[in-house]
Amino acid sequence: MGKKKRKIRICPKCKKPTLRPASYVSGWLTPERFRCMECGYVGHIYLEVSPEEYEQYLKDQADKSEDNK
Ligand SMILES: [Zn+2]
């Protein structure tokens, strides 16, 4: 125990760790929003995964493209 696990935020649309906080100055109080630098997604939903989970995801993606031969 006591091992701190770092989490990364990934885009719910393209699954890339390219989310940036998108602060809006519009006169409204909005929940924190994020913008994906990869696909242009903007919203307050994000996925949080550990680096291990993300690596696994990348592996799965690679396996899938292997199948398309
Ligand atoms: Zn995205």
Side-chain angles (χ1 to χ4, degrees):
M1 299 280 135
K3 215 179 175 189
K4 245 194 185 168
K5 280 211 171 162
R6 218 161 46 98
K7 293 269 186 161
I8 50 179
R9 286 173 184 165
I10 63 173
C11 173
K13 224 171 153 185
C14 68
K15 311 286 196 292
K16 294 251 165 64
T18 49
L19 290 178
R20 294 280 180 80
S23 13
Y24 255 53
V25 186
S26 62
W28 298 33
L29 275 181
T30 50
E32 196 180 2
R33 296 220 280 184
F34 298 93
R35 178 203 300 268
C36 176
M37 306 313 277
E38 186 70 25
C39 70
Y41 165 84
V42 179
H44 54 265
I45 296 166
Y46 60 85
L47 300 177
E48 207 173 42
V49 296
S50 66
E52 292 82 15
E53 283 169 331
Y54 188 65
E55 245 173 63
Q56 189 58 51
Y57 166 76
L58 291 180
K59 266 188 207 158
D60 287 352
Q61 292 297 102
D63 287 349
K64 270 182 203 155
S65 50
E66 287 281 303
D67 289 346
N68 284 339
K69 260 179 213 161

